[in-house]
Amino acid sequence: MKTWQCIVCGYVYDEAAGDPEHGIAPGTRWEDVPDAWACPECGVAKMDFEMVEVVAA
Amino acid sequence: MQPIFIVGSGLAGYTLLREIRKRDAAMPVTLVTADDGTFYSKPNLSNALAAGRDAAALAGAPAEKMAADLKATLLTRTTVTAIDPATHRIRTAGAEYGYGRLVLALGADPFPHRLEGDAADTVLTVNDLAGYARFREAIAGKRHAVVLGGGLIGCEFANDLAAAGMDVTVVHLGDWPLERLLPVEAGQRLAGHLSALGVRWHFGRTAKRVDTAGNGLRVTLDDGSAIDADVVLSAIGLAPRTQLAQAAGIPVGRGIRTDRFLQTGAADVYAMGDCAEVDGQVLPYVQPLMVQARALAATLAGTPTEAVYPPMPVMVKTPAHPVAVLPPATGVGGGWKVDATAEGVNALHLDADGRLQGFALTGAETGKRNTLVKGIGAKP
Ligand SMILES: Cc1cc2nc3c(=O)[nH]c(=O)nc-3n(C[C@H](O)[C@H](O)[C@H](O)COP(=O)(O)OP(=O)(O)OC[C@H]3O[C@@H](n4cnc5c(N)ncnc54)[C@H](O)[C@@H]3O)c2cc1C
Ligand SMILES: [Zn+2]
Protein backbone atom coordinates (compact mmCIF):
# COMPACT_ATOMS: atom_id res chain seq x y z
CA MET A 1 0.00 0.00 0.00
CA LYS A 2 1.24 3.46 -0.89
CA THR A 3 0.51 6.99 0.26
CA TRP A 4 -0.09 10.07 -1.86
CA GLN A 5 0.17 13.67 -0.72
CA CYS A 6 -1.76 16.73 -1.85
CA ILE A 7 0.88 19.21 -3.00
CA VAL A 8 -1.36 22.16 -2.13
CA CYS A 9 -2.46 21.48 1.44
CA GLY A 10 -0.41 18.49 2.55
CA TYR A 11 -3.32 16.06 3.03
CA VAL A 12 -2.18 12.45 2.74
CA TYR A 13 -4.22 9.79 0.95
CA ASP A 14 -3.31 6.43 2.40
CA GLU A 15 -4.39 3.56 0.16
CA ALA A 16 -4.88 1.34 3.21
CA ALA A 17 -7.30 3.81 4.82
CA GLY A 18 -9.03 5.09 1.68
CA ASP A 19 -11.46 7.98 2.08
CA PRO A 20 -14.68 6.26 3.18
CA GLU A 21 -16.42 9.57 3.96
CA HIS A 22 -16.24 10.32 0.25
CA GLY A 23 -17.01 6.86 -1.03
CA ILE A 24 -13.46 5.52 -1.36
CA ALA A 25 -13.25 2.18 0.42
CA PRO A 26 -10.20 1.27 2.51
CA GLY A 27 -7.65 -0.52 0.36
CA THR A 28 -8.49 1.43 -2.82
CA ARG A 29 -5.32 1.78 -4.86
CA TRP A 30 -4.51 5.27 -6.14
CA GLU A 31 -5.07 4.32 -9.77
CA ASP A 32 -8.56 3.14 -8.86
CA VAL A 33 -9.54 6.41 -7.17
CA PRO A 34 -11.86 8.11 -9.70
CA ASP A 35 -10.54 11.20 -11.52
CA ALA A 36 -13.46 13.22 -10.19
CA TRP A 37 -12.32 12.66 -6.60
CA ALA A 38 -10.90 15.81 -5.03
CA CYS A 39 -8.76 16.46 -1.98
CA PRO A 40 -11.14 16.28 1.01
CA GLU A 41 -9.30 19.16 2.71
CA CYS A 42 -8.70 21.74 -0.03
CA GLY A 43 -10.60 20.43 -3.03
CA VAL A 44 -7.78 20.31 -5.58
CA ALA A 45 -7.87 17.68 -8.28
CA LYS A 46 -6.36 14.19 -8.14
CA MET A 47 -3.58 15.27 -10.52
CA ASP A 48 -2.19 17.55 -7.80
CA PHE A 49 -1.17 14.60 -5.65
CA GLU A 50 2.27 13.02 -5.55
CA MET A 51 3.37 9.67 -4.29
CA VAL A 52 5.29 9.91 -1.02
CA GLU A 53 7.48 7.34 0.59
CA VAL A 54 6.14 6.23 3.93
CA VAL A 55 8.93 6.90 6.35
CA ALA A 56 9.12 4.24 9.03
CA ALA A 57 8.74 5.87 12.43
CA MET B 1 -26.49 34.87 21.49
CA GLN B 2 -25.96 36.55 18.11
CA PRO B 3 -24.58 34.23 15.40
CA ILE B 4 -21.01 34.09 14.17
CA PHE B 5 -20.76 35.88 10.83
CA ILE B 6 -18.15 34.76 8.31
CA VAL B 7 -17.63 37.09 5.35
CA GLY B 8 -16.24 35.28 2.29
CA SER B 9 -16.83 31.87 0.69
CA GLY B 10 -13.31 31.15 -0.54
CA LEU B 11 -11.18 28.37 0.90
CA ALA B 12 -10.67 30.46 4.04
CA GLY B 13 -14.36 31.04 4.82
CA TYR B 14 -15.49 27.52 3.93
CA THR B 15 -12.60 25.78 5.66
CA LEU B 16 -13.33 27.74 8.83
CA LEU B 17 -17.00 26.77 8.62
CA ARG B 18 -16.04 23.10 8.19
CA GLU B 19 -13.68 23.25 11.14
CA ILE B 20 -16.38 24.90 13.29
CA ARG B 21 -18.79 22.09 12.42
CA LYS B 22 -16.23 19.42 13.30
CA ARG B 23 -16.36 20.81 16.84
CA ASP B 24 -19.87 22.11 17.23
CA ALA B 25 -22.94 21.05 15.28
CA ALA B 26 -25.24 23.67 16.73
CA MET B 27 -23.42 27.00 16.95
CA PRO B 28 -25.38 29.39 14.69
CA VAL B 29 -23.24 30.59 11.77
CA THR B 30 -24.15 32.90 8.91
CA LEU B 31 -21.82 33.12 5.92
CA VAL B 32 -22.10 36.19 3.72
CA THR B 33 -20.44 36.25 0.32
CA ALA B 34 -20.29 38.65 -2.59
CA ASP B 35 -20.13 35.78 -5.10
CA ASP B 36 -22.55 32.91 -5.68
CA GLY B 37 -21.09 30.74 -2.92
CA THR B 38 -20.19 27.78 -5.13
CA PHE B 39 -17.34 25.84 -3.52
CA TYR B 40 -14.22 25.60 -5.68
CA SER B 41 -10.55 25.13 -5.06
CA LYS B 42 -8.70 28.18 -6.31
CA PRO B 43 -5.35 26.43 -7.00
CA ASN B 44 -7.12 24.44 -9.73
CA LEU B 45 -7.61 27.60 -11.78
CA SER B 46 -4.03 27.65 -13.05
CA ASN B 47 -3.72 24.04 -14.19
CA ALA B 48 -7.19 23.21 -15.48
CA LEU B 49 -6.86 24.34 -19.10
CA ALA B 50 -4.43 21.70 -20.34
CA ALA B 51 -6.36 19.11 -18.33
CA GLY B 52 -9.46 20.06 -20.33
CA ARG B 53 -11.46 21.20 -17.32
CA ASP B 54 -13.82 24.14 -17.79
CA ALA B 55 -15.39 26.29 -15.07
CA ALA B 56 -18.30 23.88 -14.67
CA ALA B 57 -15.88 21.01 -14.08
CA LEU B 58 -14.09 22.99 -11.36
CA ALA B 59 -17.30 23.97 -9.58
CA GLY B 60 -17.93 21.94 -6.44
CA ALA B 61 -21.08 21.98 -4.36
CA PRO B 62 -23.40 24.95 -4.94
CA ALA B 63 -24.25 27.32 -2.09
CA GLU B 64 -27.51 25.56 -1.18
CA LYS B 65 -25.73 22.25 -0.70
CA MET B 66 -22.91 23.86 1.28
CA ALA B 67 -25.49 25.55 3.53
CA ALA B 68 -27.35 22.28 4.12
CA ASP B 69 -24.22 20.15 4.65
CA LEU B 70 -22.58 22.65 6.97
CA LYS B 71 -25.77 23.76 8.71
CA ALA B 72 -25.24 27.44 8.10
CA THR B 73 -27.27 30.33 6.79
CA LEU B 74 -25.77 31.46 3.49
CA LEU B 75 -26.32 34.94 2.10
CA THR B 76 -24.94 34.83 -1.46
CA ARG B 77 -24.40 37.71 -3.89
CA THR B 78 -24.37 39.90 -0.83
CA THR B 79 -21.55 42.40 -0.34
CA VAL B 80 -20.78 43.65 3.14
CA THR B 81 -20.41 47.41 2.79
CA ALA B 82 -19.67 48.49 6.35
CA ILE B 83 -18.75 47.15 9.79
CA ASP B 84 -19.52 48.87 13.07
CA PRO B 85 -17.37 47.11 15.66
CA ALA B 86 -18.76 49.24 18.50
CA THR B 87 -22.35 48.04 18.01
CA HIS B 88 -21.36 44.62 16.54
CA ARG B 89 -23.27 45.23 13.32
CA ILE B 90 -22.52 44.80 9.61
CA ARG B 91 -24.31 46.45 6.74
CA THR B 92 -25.08 45.15 3.25
CA ALA B 93 -26.77 46.94 0.35
CA GLY B 94 -30.23 46.09 1.64
CA ALA B 95 -29.95 45.11 5.29
CA GLU B 96 -28.15 45.23 8.60
CA TYR B 97 -27.18 42.31 10.84
CA GLY B 98 -25.95 41.97 14.39
CA TYR B 99 -23.03 39.58 14.95
CA GLY B 100 -21.68 37.88 18.02
CA ARG B 101 -18.26 37.29 16.46
CA LEU B 102 -17.25 38.42 12.96
CA VAL B 103 -14.65 36.71 10.76
CA LEU B 104 -13.28 38.52 7.72
CA ALA B 105 -12.17 36.02 5.05
CA LEU B 106 -12.25 38.53 2.20
CA GLY B 107 -9.37 37.34 0.04
CA ALA B 108 -7.20 39.57 -2.13
CA ASP B 109 -7.62 41.70 -5.24
CA PRO B 110 -5.35 41.49 -8.29
CA PHE B 111 -2.98 44.47 -8.36
CA PRO B 112 -4.32 47.11 -10.73
CA HIS B 113 -2.16 46.88 -13.88
CA ARG B 114 -2.30 50.61 -14.69
CA LEU B 115 -1.83 49.94 -18.40
CA GLU B 116 -2.55 52.58 -20.99
CA GLY B 117 -3.99 51.99 -24.44
CA ASP B 118 -7.40 51.50 -26.02
CA ALA B 119 -7.47 47.79 -25.18
CA ALA B 120 -6.22 48.00 -21.59
CA ASP B 121 -9.70 47.06 -20.38
CA THR B 122 -9.53 43.73 -22.24
CA VAL B 123 -6.67 42.54 -20.02
CA LEU B 124 -7.78 39.46 -18.11
CA THR B 125 -7.19 38.39 -14.52
CA VAL B 126 -8.11 35.00 -13.07
CA ASN B 127 -8.74 35.26 -9.36
CA ASP B 128 -11.97 33.32 -8.93
CA LEU B 129 -14.18 30.81 -10.72
CA ALA B 130 -16.14 33.49 -12.58
CA GLY B 131 -12.85 35.01 -13.75
CA TYR B 132 -11.76 31.60 -15.00
CA ALA B 133 -14.99 31.23 -16.99
CA ARG B 134 -14.37 34.64 -18.62
CA PHE B 135 -10.76 33.66 -19.34
CA ARG B 136 -11.85 30.42 -21.05
CA GLU B 137 -14.30 32.35 -23.20
CA ALA B 138 -11.69 34.98 -24.09
CA ILE B 139 -8.99 32.49 -25.17
CA ALA B 140 -11.28 30.22 -27.20
CA GLY B 141 -9.88 29.96 -30.71
CA LYS B 142 -6.98 32.30 -29.89
CA ARG B 143 -3.32 31.61 -30.64
CA HIS B 144 -0.98 33.87 -28.69
CA ALA B 145 -1.27 34.80 -25.02
CA VAL B 146 0.90 37.37 -23.28
CA VAL B 147 1.20 36.80 -19.53
CA LEU B 148 2.18 39.81 -17.43
CA GLY B 149 4.14 38.67 -14.39
CA GLY B 150 6.41 35.66 -13.91
CA GLY B 151 5.64 34.93 -10.28
CA LEU B 152 4.03 31.73 -9.04
CA ILE B 153 0.66 32.33 -10.68
CA GLY B 154 2.12 33.75 -13.92
CA CYS B 155 4.44 30.74 -14.33
CA GLU B 156 1.60 28.30 -13.67
CA PHE B 157 -0.62 29.96 -16.27
CA ALA B 158 2.26 30.14 -18.77
CA ASN B 159 2.82 26.40 -18.36
CA ASP B 160 -0.87 25.60 -18.61
CA LEU B 161 -1.48 27.78 -21.68
CA ALA B 162 1.61 26.40 -23.45
CA ALA B 163 0.71 22.81 -22.59
CA ALA B 164 -2.75 23.49 -24.03
CA GLY B 165 -1.08 24.42 -27.31
CA MET B 166 -1.03 28.21 -27.21
CA ASP B 167 1.93 30.47 -27.96
CA VAL B 168 2.91 32.17 -24.73
CA THR B 169 5.09 35.18 -23.96
CA VAL B 170 5.80 36.20 -20.37
CA VAL B 171 6.76 39.77 -19.47
CA HIS B 172 8.44 39.85 -16.08
CA LEU B 173 10.05 42.67 -14.14
CA GLY B 174 12.53 40.40 -12.37
CA ASP B 175 15.64 38.92 -13.98
CA TRP B 176 14.33 35.37 -13.59
CA PRO B 177 10.95 33.88 -12.63
CA LEU B 178 9.98 33.92 -8.94
CA GLU B 179 13.12 35.95 -8.22
CA ARG B 180 11.98 36.81 -4.71
CA LEU B 181 11.67 33.14 -3.76
CA LEU B 182 14.25 31.33 -5.88
CA PRO B 183 18.01 31.65 -6.32
CA VAL B 184 18.97 32.47 -9.90
CA GLU B 185 19.98 28.89 -10.80
CA ALA B 186 16.57 27.50 -9.81
CA GLY B 187 14.67 30.30 -11.53
CA GLN B 188 16.64 29.91 -14.74
CA ARG B 189 16.12 26.17 -14.72
CA LEU B 190 12.36 26.68 -14.50
CA ALA B 191 12.48 29.31 -17.24
CA GLY B 192 14.47 26.94 -19.44
CA HIS B 193 11.98 24.12 -19.11
CA LEU B 194 9.09 26.46 -19.87
CA SER B 195 11.05 27.75 -22.90
CA ALA B 196 11.37 24.17 -24.10
CA LEU B 197 7.58 24.09 -24.04
CA GLY B 198 7.53 27.17 -26.26
CA VAL B 199 7.26 29.97 -23.69
CA ARG B 200 9.13 33.18 -24.61
CA TRP B 201 10.46 35.48 -21.88
CA HIS B 202 11.04 39.21 -21.54
CA PHE B 203 12.91 39.67 -18.27
CA GLY B 204 13.52 43.02 -16.61
CA ARG B 205 10.57 44.54 -18.45
CA THR B 206 7.08 45.78 -17.70
CA ALA B 207 4.19 46.33 -20.08
CA LYS B 208 3.08 49.94 -20.59
CA ARG B 209 0.23 49.79 -23.11
CA VAL B 210 -2.22 47.40 -24.69
CA ASP B 211 -3.79 48.62 -27.94
CA THR B 212 -5.91 47.07 -30.62
CA ALA B 213 -3.91 46.19 -33.71
CA GLY B 214 -5.70 44.61 -36.65
CA ASN B 215 -7.73 41.69 -35.34
CA GLY B 216 -5.60 41.36 -32.25
CA LEU B 217 -3.73 43.30 -29.61
CA ARG B 218 -0.35 44.93 -29.35
CA VAL B 219 1.47 45.01 -26.02
CA THR B 220 4.09 47.76 -25.75
CA LEU B 221 6.86 47.31 -23.17
CA ASP B 222 8.78 49.93 -21.22
CA ASP B 223 11.72 49.71 -23.64
CA GLY B 224 9.42 50.56 -26.54
CA SER B 225 9.41 47.05 -28.02
CA ALA B 226 6.06 45.57 -29.01
CA ILE B 227 4.53 42.10 -28.88
CA ASP B 228 1.53 41.12 -30.98
CA ALA B 229 -0.98 39.06 -29.01
CA ASP B 230 -4.52 37.76 -29.07
CA VAL B 231 -5.12 37.88 -25.32
CA VAL B 232 -3.32 39.41 -22.35
CA LEU B 233 -3.45 37.92 -18.87
CA SER B 234 -2.25 39.94 -15.89
CA ALA B 235 -0.70 38.00 -13.01
CA ILE B 236 1.37 40.72 -11.38
CA GLY B 237 0.34 40.05 -7.82
CA LEU B 238 -2.41 40.31 -5.26
CA ALA B 239 -3.27 42.90 -2.62
CA PRO B 240 -5.17 41.81 0.51
CA ARG B 241 -8.67 43.30 0.71
CA THR B 242 -8.30 45.74 3.60
CA GLN B 243 -10.67 48.60 2.68
CA LEU B 244 -13.69 47.32 4.61
CA ALA B 245 -11.69 46.92 7.82
CA GLN B 246 -9.83 50.17 7.36
CA ALA B 247 -13.07 52.11 6.91
CA ALA B 248 -14.28 50.60 10.18
CA GLY B 249 -11.20 51.84 12.00
CA ILE B 250 -9.68 48.35 12.29
CA PRO B 251 -5.87 48.54 11.99
CA VAL B 252 -4.46 47.35 8.66
CA GLY B 253 -0.94 47.06 7.31
CA ARG B 254 -0.29 45.07 4.13
CA GLY B 255 -3.30 43.02 5.23
CA ILE B 256 -5.88 43.24 8.01
CA ARG B 257 -3.66 43.08 11.08
CA THR B 258 -4.24 40.28 13.59
CA ASP B 259 -2.37 38.66 16.43
CA ARG B 260 -1.59 34.94 16.42
CA PHE B 261 -5.15 34.26 17.59
CA LEU B 262 -6.40 35.85 14.32
CA GLN B 263 -7.97 38.61 16.41
CA THR B 264 -7.97 42.05 14.78
CA GLY B 265 -7.67 45.34 16.64
CA ALA B 266 -11.45 45.30 17.22
CA ALA B 267 -13.09 43.13 19.88
CA ASP B 268 -14.83 40.02 18.45
CA VAL B 269 -13.56 40.69 14.92
CA TYR B 270 -11.16 38.17 13.38
CA ALA B 271 -9.44 37.93 9.99
CA MET B 272 -7.87 35.00 8.13
CA GLY B 273 -6.79 33.80 4.69
CA ASP B 274 -5.45 36.05 1.94
CA CYS B 275 -6.84 39.26 3.49
CA ALA B 276 -5.06 38.83 6.82
CA GLU B 277 -1.68 39.90 8.09
CA VAL B 278 -1.19 37.50 10.95
CA ASP B 279 1.49 38.55 13.40
CA GLY B 280 3.16 40.63 10.68
CA GLN B 281 2.95 38.04 7.90
CA VAL B 282 0.72 37.81 4.83
CA LEU B 283 0.84 34.16 3.69
CA PRO B 284 -1.46 33.90 0.66
CA TYR B 285 -1.42 30.10 0.35
CA VAL B 286 -3.73 27.25 1.22
CA GLN B 287 -1.74 25.51 3.94
CA PRO B 288 -1.49 28.56 6.22
CA LEU B 289 -5.19 29.29 5.90
CA MET B 290 -5.95 25.72 6.97
CA VAL B 291 -3.79 26.13 10.06
CA GLN B 292 -5.58 29.42 10.75
CA ALA B 293 -9.03 27.85 10.27
CA ARG B 294 -8.29 25.06 12.77
CA ALA B 295 -6.95 27.49 15.36
CA LEU B 296 -9.79 29.96 14.93
CA ALA B 297 -12.47 27.26 15.10
CA ALA B 298 -11.02 26.21 18.45
CA THR B 299 -10.91 29.80 19.64
CA LEU B 300 -14.51 30.43 18.61
CA ALA B 301 -15.56 27.25 20.42
CA GLY B 302 -14.06 28.60 23.62
CA THR B 303 -10.46 27.38 23.62
CA PRO B 304 -8.21 30.30 22.65
CA THR B 305 -5.68 28.80 20.20
CA GLU B 306 -2.80 30.43 18.32
CA ALA B 307 -2.06 29.70 14.67
CA VAL B 308 1.28 27.87 14.82
CA TYR B 309 2.68 26.95 11.44
CA PRO B 310 4.82 23.94 10.63
CA PRO B 311 7.37 24.54 7.84
CA MET B 312 5.11 24.98 4.81
CA PRO B 313 6.87 24.50 1.46
CA VAL B 314 5.03 26.03 -1.49
CA MET B 315 4.74 23.90 -4.61
CA VAL B 316 4.72 25.69 -7.96
CA LYS B 317 2.39 23.68 -10.20
CA THR B 318 4.48 23.80 -13.37
CA PRO B 319 4.36 20.22 -14.66
CA ALA B 320 7.07 21.05 -17.22
CA HIS B 321 9.43 21.41 -14.25
CA PRO B 322 7.84 21.58 -10.79
CA VAL B 323 9.34 23.69 -8.02
CA ALA B 324 9.13 23.36 -4.24
CA VAL B 325 10.28 26.29 -2.15
CA LEU B 326 10.46 26.97 1.55
CA PRO B 327 11.61 30.55 1.96
CA PRO B 328 13.77 31.23 5.02
CA ALA B 329 12.07 33.31 7.71
CA THR B 330 12.60 37.04 7.31
CA GLY B 331 15.80 38.27 8.87
CA VAL B 332 17.64 34.94 8.57
CA GLY B 333 21.17 35.60 7.34
CA GLY B 334 23.43 33.26 5.42
CA GLY B 335 22.84 32.30 1.83
CA TRP B 336 22.12 29.67 -0.78
CA LYS B 337 24.20 26.55 -1.34
CA VAL B 338 23.27 25.44 -4.83
CA ASP B 339 23.74 22.02 -6.38
CA ALA B 340 22.59 21.61 -9.95
CA THR B 341 22.21 18.23 -11.59
CA ALA B 342 20.66 17.18 -14.87
CA GLU B 343 17.38 16.35 -13.08
CA GLY B 344 16.98 19.56 -11.17
CA VAL B 345 18.38 22.19 -8.86
CA ASN B 346 18.84 21.60 -5.15
CA ALA B 347 19.37 24.87 -3.30
CA LEU B 348 19.65 24.91 0.47
CA HIS B 349 19.44 28.14 2.41
CA LEU B 350 21.97 27.88 5.23
CA ASP B 351 22.35 30.44 8.01
CA ALA B 352 25.68 31.78 9.25
CA ASP B 353 26.12 28.68 11.45
CA GLY B 354 25.43 26.30 8.56
CA ARG B 355 21.93 25.31 9.73
CA LEU B 356 19.21 24.65 7.19
CA GLN B 357 16.67 27.51 7.14
CA GLY B 358 14.94 27.02 3.81
CA PHE B 359 15.23 25.40 0.39
CA ALA B 360 14.37 25.69 -3.27
CA LEU B 361 14.08 22.45 -5.24
CA THR B 362 13.27 21.96 -8.89
CA GLY B 363 12.37 19.00 -11.08
CA ALA B 364 13.09 15.59 -9.55
CA GLU B 365 14.74 17.28 -6.55
CA THR B 366 11.26 18.33 -5.32
CA GLY B 367 10.84 14.77 -4.07
CA LYS B 368 13.30 15.58 -1.26
CA ARG B 369 11.12 18.24 0.33
CA ASN B 370 9.55 16.12 3.07
CA THR B 371 12.93 14.90 4.21
CA LEU B 372 14.36 18.42 4.15
CA VAL B 373 11.41 19.83 6.11
CA LYS B 374 12.35 17.48 8.93
CA GLY B 375 15.90 18.84 8.88
CA ILE B 376 14.97 22.51 9.26
CA GLY B 377 17.07 24.09 11.98
CA ALA B 378 19.71 21.36 11.82
CA LYS B 379 22.99 21.11 9.94
CA PRO B 380 22.47 19.14 6.71
C1 LIG C 1 -4.48 30.90 -9.96
C2 LIG C 1 -4.10 30.65 -8.53
C3 LIG C 1 -3.40 29.50 -8.18
C4 LIG C 1 -3.04 29.25 -6.87
N1 LIG C 1 -2.35 28.11 -6.57
C5 LIG C 1 -2.02 27.86 -5.28
C6 LIG C 1 -1.34 26.65 -4.92
O1 LIG C 1 -1.00 25.84 -5.77
N2 LIG C 1 -1.06 26.43 -3.60
C7 LIG C 1 -1.42 27.33 -2.63
O2 LIG C 1 -1.17 27.07 -1.45
N3 LIG C 1 -2.06 28.47 -2.93
C8 LIG C 1 -2.37 28.76 -4.24
N4 LIG C 1 -3.02 29.92 -4.53
C9 LIG C 1 -3.43 30.81 -3.43
C10 LIG C 1 -4.71 30.28 -2.78
O3 LIG C 1 -5.60 29.87 -3.77
C11 LIG C 1 -5.30 31.37 -1.88
O4 LIG C 1 -4.38 31.61 -0.83
C12 LIG C 1 -6.65 30.99 -1.26
O5 LIG C 1 -7.52 30.42 -2.20
C13 LIG C 1 -7.28 32.23 -0.63
O6 LIG C 1 -8.55 31.95 -0.10
P1 LIG C 1 -9.42 33.07 0.62
O7 LIG C 1 -10.65 32.40 1.04
O8 LIG C 1 -8.59 33.79 1.62
O9 LIG C 1 -9.73 34.16 -0.52
P2 LIG C 1 -10.78 34.08 -1.79
O10 LIG C 1 -10.82 32.73 -2.36
O11 LIG C 1 -10.41 35.22 -2.67
O12 LIG C 1 -12.18 34.37 -1.13
C14 LIG C 1 -12.62 35.64 -0.76
C15 LIG C 1 -14.12 35.63 -0.57
O13 LIG C 1 -14.54 36.84 0.03
C16 LIG C 1 -15.68 37.35 -0.65
N5 LIG C 1 -15.73 38.79 -0.38
C17 LIG C 1 -14.74 39.70 -0.53
N6 LIG C 1 -15.15 40.92 -0.13
C18 LIG C 1 -16.44 40.77 0.32
C19 LIG C 1 -17.41 41.67 0.87
N7 LIG C 1 -17.14 42.96 1.08
N8 LIG C 1 -18.61 41.17 1.19
C20 LIG C 1 -18.90 39.85 1.00
N9 LIG C 1 -18.02 38.97 0.49
C21 LIG C 1 -16.81 39.43 0.17
C22 LIG C 1 -15.45 36.92 -2.09
O14 LIG C 1 -16.65 36.93 -2.81
C23 LIG C 1 -14.90 35.51 -1.87
O15 LIG C 1 -15.96 34.60 -1.67
C24 LIG C 1 -3.37 30.20 -5.87
C25 LIG C 1 -4.07 31.36 -6.20
C26 LIG C 1 -4.44 31.60 -7.53
C27 LIG C 1 -5.17 32.87 -7.87
ZN1 LIG D 1 -5.39 19.33 -0.49
Side-chain angles (χ1 to χ4, degrees):
Chain A
M1 297 269 109
K2 298 193 176 87
T3 63
W4 299 75
Q5 185 176 32
C6 172
I7 65 168
V8 170
C9 77
Y11 169 86
V12 172
Y13 175 83
D14 178 352
E15 292 182 342
D19 177 20
E21 245 188 88
H22 300 94
I24 312 293
T28 304
R29 284 177 313 166
W30 184 246
E31 58 262 41
D32 298 328
V33 173
D35 285 339
W37 181 84
C39 175
E41 292 284 319
C42 77
V44 299
K46 190 183 165 190
M47 67 181 178
D48 288 323
F49 277 68
E50 274 186 359
M51 195 172 60
V52 288
E53 301 294 334
V54 195
V55 187
Chain B
M1 200 173 86
Q2 297 274 33
I4 291 175
F5 270 72
I6 299 173
V7 188
S9 60
L11 281 170
Y14 272 143
T15 304
L16 174 65
L17 181 54
R18 275 210 191 92
E19 292 297 326
I20 290 174
R21 284 296 171 251
K22 282 185 193 165
R23 296 172 168 270
D24 188 320
M27 192 188 298
V29 180
T30 300
L31 187 146
V32 190
T33 180
D35 55 47
D36 69 5
T38 301
F39 177 80
Y40 75 101
S41 189
K42 192 179 284 199
N44 281 334
L45 301 180
S46 49
N47 65 0
L49 177 64
R53 306 179 76 206
D54 61 11
L58 298 184
E64 306 72 51
K65 180 156 170 29
M66 295 301 287
D69 288 356
L70 296 168
K71 299 186 185 59
T73 305
L74 242 71
L75 305 174
T76 57
R77 301 194 186 285
T78 306
T79 300
V80 174
T81 55
I83 306 167
D84 185 358
T87 58
H88 281 51
R89 296 185 77 75
I90 54 171
R91 205 174 316 135
T92 66
E96 241 186 77
Y97 304 88
Y99 61 81
R101 267 88 50 88
L102 175 67
V103 181
L104 303 175
L106 305 171
D109 278 318
F111 275 142
H113 52 61
R114 297 206 173 82
L115 291 160
E116 291 168 36
D118 69 1
D121 60 352
T122 67
V123 172
L124 303 161
T125 54
V126 179
N127 189 37
D128 52 33
L129 196 53
Y132 179 73
R134 286 192 296 273
F135 162 76
R136 289 299 302 266
E137 221 168 277
I139 64 169
K142 300 288 168 64
R143 187 77 237 141
H144 185 191
V146 169
V147 177
L148 308 180
L152 182 141
I153 293 170
C155 286
E156 292 189 353
F157 275 112
N159 193 152
D160 204 31
L161 285 159
M166 284 184 76
D167 295 334
V168 180
T169 303
V170 181
V171 179
H172 182 54
L173 180 56
D175 289 332
W176 61 88
L178 291 141
E179 80 284 357
R180 272 173 300 194
L181 290 175
L182 301 181
V184 57
E185 296 87 344
Q188 285 178 347
R189 185 68 71 96
L190 169 62
H193 281 270
L194 290 175
S195 296
L197 207 64
V199 174
R200 280 178 296 243
W201 297 93
H202 292 262
F203 291 118
R205 297 265 79 92
T206 55
K208 285 289 166 209
R209 310 179 55 89
V210 180
D211 295 282
T212 42
N215 289 330
L217 302 171
R218 173 159 303 153
V219 182
T220 309
L221 307 188
D222 54 356
D223 62 351
S225 61
I227 309 165
D228 287 322
D230 297 313
V231 287
V232 181
L233 175 68
S234 177
I236 55 174
L238 294 169
R241 292 185 176 124
T242 56
Q243 305 87 337
L244 188 62
Q246 190 167 26
I250 297 169
V252 304
R254 271 232 302 132
I256 302 171
R257 285 213 169 112
T258 80
D259 61 15
R260 284 161 170 270
F261 294 92
L262 293 323
Q263 159 110 49
T264 68
D268 296 322
V269 182
Y270 300 83
M272 60 169 294
D274 278 10
C275 70
E277 180 183 318
V278 179
D279 195 29
Q281 281 185 296
V282 178
L283 297 170
Y285 303 107
V286 172
Q287 230 187 322
L289 74 79
M290 301 221 148
V291 173
Q292 294 164 7
R294 289 180 196 121
L296 185 51
T299 298
L300 294 172
T303 310
T305 303
E306 295 185 13
V308 179
Y309 306 113
M312 298 176 293
V314 174
M315 289 290 290
V316 185
K317 306 190 298 306
T318 41
H321 196 68
V323 175
V325 54
L326 180 72
T330 39
V332 168
W336 291 104
K337 179 180 160 286
V338 181
D339 238 336
T341 67
E343 284 75 45
V345 174
N346 179 317
L348 304 181
H349 193 105
L350 305 177
D351 64 19
D353 300 324
R355 284 186 304 247
L356 183 66
Q357 298 291 352
F359 55 77
L361 310 169
T362 81
E365 293 292 322
T366 57
K368 299 192 176 140
R369 68 187 185 284
N370 286 334
T371 315
L372 284 173
V373 157
K374 294 193 185 86
I376 291 293
K379 294 195 182 179

